[in-house]
Amino acid sequence: MTDRALAVVRAGALTTVQDLGRPGHAHLGVPRSGALDAPAAALVNRLVGNPPEAAVLETTLTGCAVRPRSAVTVAVGGAPCAVTVDGRPAAWGAPVRVPAGALLDVGAARAGLRSYVAVSGGVAVEPVLGSRSTDLLSGLGPAPLTDGAVLPLGAPGEPHARVDAAPQPAPPSELVLRVTFGPRDDWFTPEALRAFTSRPYRVSAASNRIGLRTEGPALARALTGELPSEGMVLGAVQVPPDGRPVVFLADHPTTGGYPVIAVVRPTDLAPAAQAVPGTPVRFVAVRRR
């Protein structure tokens, strides 16, 4: 029987297995997790003929290198980067055939942060609570990749897409996040609410899969007490004691005790996955629905 697996030659700074995540388990204290740039992950799956729920590799900054034990079709998308097969240039954003034993090298991001690698058949690690995603907060799912690790692959499905290249959005030069105020906006002064949606922020280097941290004006509280721990949702903008907003991403905690000033619209979170440190951030208030 054909050995359908990937051998990890270079794991990179942080490469994890991700799929659509495991929503619906917050009552158990389990975050949603899943690919931070979900549209990019969906596109590379489509390019290699995988269903949307197939697991992919999410690389961070430095890419990764893997060696398939059988011939596979791969596609790399998300953050633009160099792609080579046994040292020869290959297409980014398009299906690429990689022979058995050849080295697929996904280079460092030229812009943005996270590249996505789909392999025909998908990464078939054992699912946990219905998902193969690595969750860095709770530790569920497979561990981040390490050199020498071997990842099983599923059986290939549909034929890969017949395209030379698929258009993908560029990483943001400015991150515009539309927000709905609440539920705890009344914990902040009127001046803080105005500053939140009118003053410039920047992406902090301390950001990760748990949350996008910002640098900018501190938001002063109108109330100085402590909240009991309450549920948190994807896109919640929590304000810790230093006053700088934190946007919760896929691996966010399911509860928290700092006030949430607003919630980001889900469609605006994919660009946040590609916003490098120093990227300007603007919070734009929209009406409640």
Side-chain angles (χ1 to χ4, degrees), residues 138-256:
S138 70
L140 292 177
L145 269 60
T146 56
D147 295 354
V150 176
L151 301 174
L153 298 176
E158 298 294 325
H160 66 78
R162 300 293 181 179
V163 298
D164 294 325
Q168 300 186 52
S173 56
E174 179 186 43
L175 187 59
V176 179
L177 300 176
R178 293 171 295 171
V179 299
T180 299
F181 276 110
R184 299 298 181 184
D185 51 316
D186 58 343
W187 276 58
F188 298 90
T189 66
E191 294 78 12
L193 296 178
R194 285 193 293 271
F196 176 58
T197 55
S198 63
R199 299 281 298 280
Y201 287 86
R202 290 188 178 274
V203 174
S204 167
S207 301
N208 53 29
R209 281 185 49 86
I210 296 170
L212 183 142
R213 295 183 177 273
T214 63
E215 298 170 347
L219 302 179
R221 287 192 189 183
L223 301 177
T224 57
E226 295 300 324
L227 276 169
S229 187
E230 54 189 4
M232 294 290 137
V233 298
L234 183 68
V237 184
Q238 192 182 66
V239 182
D242 69 2
R244 272 75 182 187
V246 179
V247 180
F248 277 168
L249 301 179
D251 288 356
H252 70 84
T254 56
T255 61

Side-chain angles (χ1 to χ4, degrees), residues 4 48-50 71-74 97 118-122 153-157:
R4 289 196 54 80
V48 301
N50 287 345
V72 295
T73 300
V74 303
R97 192 67 174 167
V119 183
S120 51
L153 298 176

Side-chain angles (χ1 to χ4, degrees), residues 49-134:
N50 287 345
E53 65 271 15
V56 302
L57 300 181
E58 179 184 274
T59 74
T60 309
L61 284 175
T62 61
C64 68
V66 295
R67 197 183 300 275
R69 292 181 173 176
S70 60
V72 295
T73 300
V74 303
V76 181
C81 60
V83 181
T84 63
V85 176
D86 276 346
R88 293 185 290 275
W92 173 88
V96 173
R97 192 67 174 167
V98 180
L103 181 68
L104 170 71
D105 191 276
V106 178
R110 292 171 172 165
L113 288 175
R114 296 175 174 90
S115 298
Y116 291 84
V117 185
V119 183
S120 51
V123 179
V125 296
E126 193 68 25
V128 178
L129 294 177
S131 171
R132 295 182 166 92
S133 288
T134 301

